[in-house]
Amino acid sequence: DCPIARLPDCPIARLPDCPIARLPDCLLACIHMNAYPLADTVARARDLTDADRAAIAHQIAGGIAGEVRADRYNRLLYATDASLYQMEPVAVVFPTSAADVQHVLRIASSAGVPVMPRGGGTGLAGQTVNHAVVLDFTRAMDKLIEVNVEERWTRVQPGIVLSELNKQLARHGLQWGIDPSTQNRATIGGGVGNNSCGAHSVVYGKTIDNVLGLEAVLSDASLARFWPMSGSALEAKLTQPGLEGDVYRRLQSIGREQREEVERRFPKIMRRVSGYNLDDFTREGEPMDVSRMVVGSEGTLAVVTEAKLRLHPVPKVKGIAAVHFTTLIEAAEATVAALEHPVSAIEVIDNVLVTRCRQSTGFRHLASFVEGDPGGILFIEFAADTEAEVVAGMQALNDDLQRRKLGYATVTTTDPAFQRDMWRMREAGLGLLMSVRGDAKPVGFVEDTAVAPEKLPQFIARFQEIVGANGTTAAYYGHASVGCLHIRPMVNVKTAEGLATMEKIATEVADLVLEFGGSLSGEHGDGILRGVFNERMFGPTLYNAFKEVKRAFDPGGLLNPGKIIETPAFGENLRLGPETKNWEPVDTFLDFSFEGGIARAAEQCNGQGACRKHDGGMCPSFMVTREEEHSTRGRANLLRLTFSGALPQSELAGDRLFEALDLCVECKACKSECPSGVDMAKLKYEVLAQRNLAHGTPLRAIAFANIAALSRFGARFRPLANFAGRLGIARLFLEKAGGIGRHRPLPVFAKQSFPSWFKRHVAKTGTKRGDIVLFHDTFTDYYHPEVGKAAVDVLEALGYRVVSVERTACCGRPAVSKGLLSKAKQWARQNVDALLPYAERGIPIVGTEPSCLLTFRDEYPDLLQDEASKTVASQSFLLDELISKLAREDESVAALFRDDLEREVVLHAHCHQKAIVGPEPTLETLRLVPGYKVRLIETSCCGMAGSFGFEKEHYDVSKAMGSLRLFPEVEAASPDAAIAITGVSCRQQIGHFTSRRPRHAVELLAEALRE
């Protein structure tokens, strides 16, 4: 009953000697022992029981230094990537070395289940999902091993993120030249697997052009090293017994056999990454480099554990000319003309992306340079040693395009910050398009076509005809310099009609690409999405040759099977499809009508993984833990799976989902930085509310939600409360009884509360601007009244009569953050009723605490769902917003401040301000003082996040968040510099963990007033 005789192409017949007797874990021996063909590994892995998965995980864990997880939650976290597909893994492994990988392959082989390597999970074609043991290299195999500056190469592990690698290389004036739009979370291993390219491939080529050698584990668990070989070294490999030797022999043989067919069928363009790289093995007399077959193989041939990479000098000066065109086709025509100039990149976006950017709160400012309503824009970059050379290049381009009557406007810049914003607009393309609400989305199923640049105008016209004939529209953007476009037709995959339209368009586009001599994949890889068309694209002869390549490396079908060749059907394994049926809580506390319901709010995540980046504000807990479940993507996936029924409904209020959400600090960075517009803070509020309904509200949550009442009470006994707060035994009691960390200093009550001071305050005369309402928060009232006093001084200097509205209700922010949404709604009602008369008369409502004041704008309309809350929201501003707006309208505002002060001011802005307003108003306001030299610390959350940093189980994570960038930046500031903050949480965190004592920005403004 040995199955070997039944295999269609027995590998033993090709081996010079049978290896079974020599190998301890021979794949063929495994087939004989287990009596099933390994070609069925995917089906077998899919049908395993939880007990089977646990047993495999246990076997793996027994032989590696890394970690193994096989619970359902962790498997589901790795079931999706940035593609349309969802496939639940067998287990997830975090290897620490090549030896770990070898052990995993031995166990997987004996169990008859596949293995799939994975980096950041940003694959768009389904290449990083499978019913397999997933190897996540981003946790422990993410190091730069060596840099040779003189010879310009580096050795790295596969899990290192591209932008992090470049940060380390920058000190040597070098860079990894491959820069896909996902570079701040994509890894080298993923780039090698995909043969990634990026915006500058016209200069640096593809990944394959920059890989000097690879270390990889083969399917028989042997470790191999690949680099260009010739002469006696190559002869030795060709005669070497075993799998590695067979790879060399078979590649040489297949290359010779397919030389003519490769010449006839392979696209003659630079951006071809489809199929296997057979074209590198058809030339006689050249060195043989097996790494060139592994690059672009999507983990189907070998598992890369180390890469040696070619590096390039960092350009000294860059400039961008943003050329505006009436139509996208005109932009494509101009691309050919622009390529006659010494450009380093040419990127294109269409009017759809410009519109989406202008509509996005978090990205709107990136489109400020756009003039009119262009049908397309080309970002044309020049790089040189001097600014003069760059400017001359851009001017020559502009003159040339004007002579050809191409383009109606050109915006040029050599300013790095301006260029960075332009690139951010282009790189955010995918997410911005996917931020469209509703089930119909610009779906990525034909988003990676590549043709010769001179064929782009006609290709785009024909593509538009296909899209229009199928009753839909599409968005266009991509790398015009090399003819690679990312085109996304609008389709609803949750209907049978939408799915049929998608498959029809995909088939017609495949034929169009073939007609134009292009490639269906220009950089995003085949995976499943384009793998289904590979026989159509390359013909049956080459397709069979691809199968031979796969069998040469992986005779048992162990490595990421079903990708590139022999894939599942186009419409199988979909994450969302016609069968998707969501359930939702009968009643939600918050209004999710904008999102189309809470389930669609979770579905809004398309998996692109921008939350896995290591810069900006999102996602601070992921930056600390590097755990998928602590990214916005991970949390959104778990919520989506709960609403779709993949997880039981009871999980919505369950402990495991709560654990995944627990480290979300509700900073709202995702609200502005997630290009798809996922608002995880809002989702968390609602889930906590549903959990409180099911299990009751924890006492600590109730206490924190009522911080205003507790503070009001404690202030009456200020000396006693402050004394007790310093006692170690009292702190220990609070930790044991209330879960408040004893190492965290407690807030100190002020001698005089702000309301008490304000009652005795004599307003200045002269109120040329009329009334203004100052909303003073709990911490201003009882702990830091100096902030309120400074705000009054500044407002009165501006000519306002400051009104303090008597109120009994907290703003509700603490209650919202703990899921006490009924209480928050009650307080919101009281505050709106108190403030509405002022808002209706156009009187501004200002505050100095972003988390409190911005609750009026962000949560109140969702809680109350009425016009009154919207009216109050429309009149609510941070004090900095108001001042910066006045200064732009009235030059006399700047004259209020002294001009004899010289001081460096280092600003850390509050998370909610950064997410909803941005730090710019505070920067603009502080810069009204002539002598203030103001700079912003680019950080994520400080780590305090309201009550989060006080909770004992979060203390270490809270500290780690601030330690990433904030604390080092604060300590590095000059001793005379003022550390400015805009929120009380930031004040507490910096004061606790650094030697500096921060002050609110408004205090620095008040000090600088002339009077």
Side-chain angles (χ1 to χ4, degrees), residues 815-968:
V816 168
S817 70
K818 292 300 178 185
L820 278 75
L821 297 184
S822 292
K823 176 61 71 175
K825 184 173 182 177
Q826 174 189 333
W827 288 339
R829 179 81 281 150
Q830 292 178 36
N831 282 321
V832 166
D833 288 347
L835 295 170
L836 184 61
Y838 298 93
E840 288 179 329
R841 284 157 38 211
I843 295 175
I845 302 160
V846 298
T848 57
E849 179 58 42
S851 62
C852 297
L853 188 283
L854 294 175
T855 302
F856 297 174
R857 279 169 41 181
D858 203 24
E859 280 82 18
Y860 277 19
D862 282 336
L863 282 166
L864 299 178
Q865 303 175 40
D866 63 4
E867 289 303 315
S869 61
K870 294 176 183 175
T871 300
V872 169
S874 69
Q875 287 299 116
S876 299
F877 309 96
L878 290 176
L879 179 56
D880 310 346
E881 284 185 280
L882 177 81
I883 298 172
S884 63
K885 180 176 182 294
L886 288 176
R888 288 192 294 270
E889 297 170 351
D890 184 351
E891 293 181 358
S892 68
V893 171
L896 296 173
F897 300 100
R898 294 165 53 186
D899 57 8
D900 60 344
L901 294 175
E902 290 293 333
R903 194 174 195 184
E904 180 188 5
V905 179
V906 180
L907 172 67
H908 168 72
H910 188 281
C911 289
H912 291 182
Q913 175 181 349
K914 286 188 285 191
I916 297 173
V917 174
E920 290 77 18
T922 307
L923 292 168
E924 292 170 9
T925 300
L926 287 170
R927 286 167 180 159
L928 292 173
V929 183
Y932 282 176
K933 304 297 184 286
V934 188
R935 68 178 177 88
L936 177 71
I937 302 177
E938 297 283 353
T939 60
S940 62
C941 178
C942 71
M944 179 59 88
S947 65
F948 181 87
F950 284 97
E951 295 162 349
K952 65 177 182 180
E953 70 272 24
H954 296 146
Y955 182 83
D956 290 338
V957 173
S958 171
K959 180 181 179 181
M961 286 181 185
S963 299
L964 288 173
R965 293 195 297 274
L966 176 60
F967 302 159

Side-chain angles (χ1 to χ4, degrees), residues 190-438:
V192 169
N194 245 30
N195 196 5
S196 294
C197 307
H200 293 86
S201 63
V202 70
V203 176
Y204 303 124
K206 301 180 291 189
T207 295
I208 196 170
D209 304 309
N210 295 276
V211 169
L212 301 175
L214 295 174
E215 175 190 271
V217 178
L218 300 182
S219 63
D220 66 348
S222 62
L223 189 64
R225 290 179 177 85
F226 301 125
W227 66 90
M229 285 189 178
S230 58
S232 59
L234 178 58
E235 285 302 317
K237 286 293 182 184
L238 289 168
T239 56
Q240 176 179 317
L243 182 59
E244 185 178 352
D246 194 39
V247 164
Y248 278 85
R249 289 185 289 275
R250 291 301 300 144
L251 290 186
Q252 187 181 75
S253 173
I254 295 167
R256 287 171 178 168
E257 293 167 5
Q258 302 301 328
R259 183 180 297 118
E260 291 183 6
E261 193 70 5
V262 166
E263 177 63 26
R264 189 169 71 87
R265 294 298 299 252
F266 263 55
K268 305 299 188 293
I269 59 172
M270 191 255 276
R271 293 293 285 267
R272 190 276 315 159
V273 303
S274 283
Y276 291 123
N277 297 323
L278 264 179
D279 51 334
D280 275 297
F281 296 84
T282 60
R283 296 180 287 274
E284 294 281 359
E286 291 188 8
M288 187 175 182
D289 185 0
V290 174
S291 68
R292 295 182 71 82
M293 184 61 79
V294 175
V295 172
S297 64
E298 302 179 3
T300 64
L301 303 183
V303 180
V304 174
T305 52
E306 186 182 305
K308 182 179 179 181
L309 310 172
R310 176 181 289 113
L311 303 177
H312 301 273
V314 176
K316 293 180 180 177
V317 182
K318 292 181 179 180
I320 291 180
V323 189
H324 299 51
F325 302 90
T326 305
T327 67
L328 184 65
I329 291 176
E330 184 189 7
E333 291 169 348
T335 298
V336 179
L339 284 170
E340 296 175 10
H341 296 260
V343 300
S344 53
I346 305 177
E347 298 289 289
V348 64
I349 61 173
D350 74 347
N351 62 317
V352 177
L353 199 147
V354 172
T355 300
R356 292 300 304 152
C357 192
R358 283 172 164 171
Q359 292 171 344
S360 169
T361 303
F363 292 83
R364 184 180 302 138
H365 66 285
L366 300 180
S368 60
F369 71 92
V370 178
E371 299 184 11
D373 294 302
I377 297 177
L378 290 182
F379 296 113
I380 304 175
E381 184 190 80
F382 290 80
D385 290 335
T386 67
E387 185 171 356
E389 291 176 274
V390 170
V391 171
M394 292 191 293
Q395 185 60 54
L397 169 73
N398 189 52
D399 293 343
D400 186 14
L401 294 180
Q402 285 187 357
R403 280 195 302 271
R404 302 180 193 228
K405 294 183 169 50
L406 292 170
Y408 68 82
T410 299
V411 177
T412 62
T413 182
T414 56
D415 176 62
F418 194 179
Q419 292 180 71
R420 190 161 55 247
D421 281 350
M422 286 183 173
W423 282 121
R424 281 189 63 206
M425 180 184 182
R426 159 62 188 89
E427 290 168 357
L430 165 60
L432 286 171
L433 295 173
M434 296 300 287
S435 66
V436 169
R437 302 291 165 169

Side-chain angles (χ1 to χ4, degrees), residues 652-836:
L652 187 64
D655 292 343
R656 187 61 184 84
L657 184 59
F658 174 76
E659 184 181 326
L661 291 172
D662 187 41
L663 295 189
C664 169
V665 293
E666 302 163 15
C667 65
K668 302 190 184 184
C670 53
K671 187 179 179 71
S672 61
E673 290 187 23
C674 172
S676 301
V678 176
D679 188 347
M680 185 50 59
K682 182 177 179 180
L683 284 164
K684 181 182 177 181
Y685 306 149
E686 186 64 48
V687 172
L688 288 180
Q690 298 295 330
R691 180 180 169 86
N692 291 341
L693 274 181
H695 302 295
T697 306
L699 183 61
R700 186 177 69 181
I702 294 173
F704 277 126
N706 287 278
I707 187 65
L710 291 173
S711 297
R712 192 179 308 115
F713 177 78
R716 296 175 184 173
F717 307 96
R718 178 187 63 81
L720 179 61
N722 287 342
F723 174 74
R726 293 191 295 269
L727 290 177
I729 190 159
R731 303 269 289 279
L732 182 61
F733 173 77
L734 282 176
E735 181 172 277
K736 296 293 185 184
I740 298 172
R742 68 180 184 275
H743 300 298
R744 177 70 73 176
L746 298 177
V748 177
F749 289 100
K751 290 182 179 180
Q752 183 184 35
S753 71
F754 176 75
S756 175
W757 173 86
F758 191 78
K759 285 179 182 177
R760 294 169 175 79
H761 171 66
V762 178
K764 293 180 181 178
T765 57
T767 55
K768 64 178 181 179
R769 299 188 193 275
D771 288 350
I772 193 166
V773 174
L774 176 62
F775 183 87
H776 41 96
D777 58 278
T778 297
F779 277 84
T780 296
D781 279 352
Y782 303 110
Y783 304 97
H784 295 286
E786 65 273 17
V787 176
K789 296 174 187 177
V792 170
D793 286 345
V794 171
L795 287 169
E796 289 183 346
L798 288 167
Y800 286 105
R801 185 174 76 90
V802 180
V803 177
S804 175
V805 177
E806 287 295 327
R807 59 183 177 82
T808 58
C810 170
C811 68
R813 162 57 50 202
V816 168
S817 70
K818 292 300 178 185
L820 278 75
L821 297 184
S822 292
K823 176 61 71 175
K825 184 173 182 177
Q826 174 189 333
W827 288 339
R829 179 81 281 150
Q830 292 178 36
N831 282 321
V832 166
D833 288 347
L835 295 170
L836 184 61

Side-chain angles (χ1 to χ4, degrees), residues 103-152:
H103 178 73
V104 170
L105 282 166
R106 292 188 193 104
I107 298 302
S109 173
S110 66
V113 297
V115 173
M116 183 192 74
R118 173 167 160 142
T122 58
L124 288 162
Q127 57 268 68
T128 47
V129 293
N130 214 329
H131 300 301
V133 176
V134 174
L135 299 173
D136 182 345
F137 290 100
T138 62
R139 287 272 304 282
M141 292 184 71
D142 61 344
K143 308 297 186 296
L144 187 157
I145 301 168
E146 179 184 5
V147 179
N148 188 310
V149 177
E150 291 73 26
E151 297 179 15
R152 294 180 181 170

Side-chain angles (χ1 to χ4, degrees), residues 474-687:
Y476 299 74
Y477 63 101
H479 313 296
S481 59
V482 286
C484 181
L485 289 183
H486 304 318
I487 306 171
R488 291 178 162 261
M490 185 76 74
V491 176
N492 182 1
V493 298
K494 292 169 72 174
T495 67
E497 297 78 13
L499 188 56
T501 298
M502 186 170 73
E503 292 199 49
K504 185 172 182 290
I505 292 175
T507 303
E508 292 174 4
V509 167
D511 290 337
L512 179 68
V513 169
L514 192 58
E515 177 188 339
F516 274 73
S519 175
L520 206 53
S521 176
E523 66 176 344
H524 293 162
D526 288 332
I528 300 170
L529 195 65
R530 283 170 283 275
V532 295
F533 294 105
N534 267 338
E535 185 167 7
R536 192 187 205 100
M537 299 303 299
F538 292 96
T541 302
L542 283 180
Y543 191 72
N544 286 330
F546 291 163
K547 291 181 182 179
E548 281 289 301
V549 170
K550 169 69 171 171
R551 280 194 289 269
F553 279 89
D554 186 19
L558 192 70
L559 298 175
N560 203 14
K563 309 300 162 60
I564 300 179
I565 58 168
E566 298 179 316
T567 68
F570 185 91
E572 289 182 12
N573 303 303
L574 292 175
R575 175 177 15 176
L576 300 174
E579 71 287 349
T580 302
K581 297 291 184 290
N582 291 323
W583 74 273
E584 300 200 18
V586 175
D587 293 305
T588 58
F589 292 89
L590 296 169
D591 181 12
F592 284 93
S593 57
F594 171 72
E595 295 87 350
I598 189 172
R600 285 189 176 88
E603 281 181 0
Q604 193 67 21
C605 174
N606 58 60
Q608 65 169 300
C611 44
R612 289 177 56 96
K613 58 191 176 64
H614 299 177
D615 53 15
M618 176 182 71
C619 182
S621 49
F622 173 79
M623 292 180 193
V624 169
T625 68
R626 302 294 172 89
E627 292 277 3
E628 177 70 19
E629 74 175 74
H630 295 145
S631 68
T632 302
R633 177 176 75 177
R635 296 175 179 127
N637 267 328
L638 292 176
L639 284 167
R640 176 183 58 79
L641 290 161
T642 303
F643 293 130
S644 70
L647 289 169
Q649 293 184 15
S650 59
E651 286 295 302
L652 187 64
D655 292 343
R656 187 61 184 84
L657 184 59
F658 174 76
E659 184 181 326
L661 291 172
D662 187 41
L663 295 189
C664 169
V665 293
E666 302 163 15
C667 65
K668 302 190 184 184
C670 53
K671 187 179 179 71
S672 61
E673 290 187 23
C674 172
S676 301
V678 176
D679 188 347
M680 185 50 59
K682 182 177 179 180
L683 284 164
K684 181 182 177 181
Y685 306 149
E686 186 64 48
V687 172

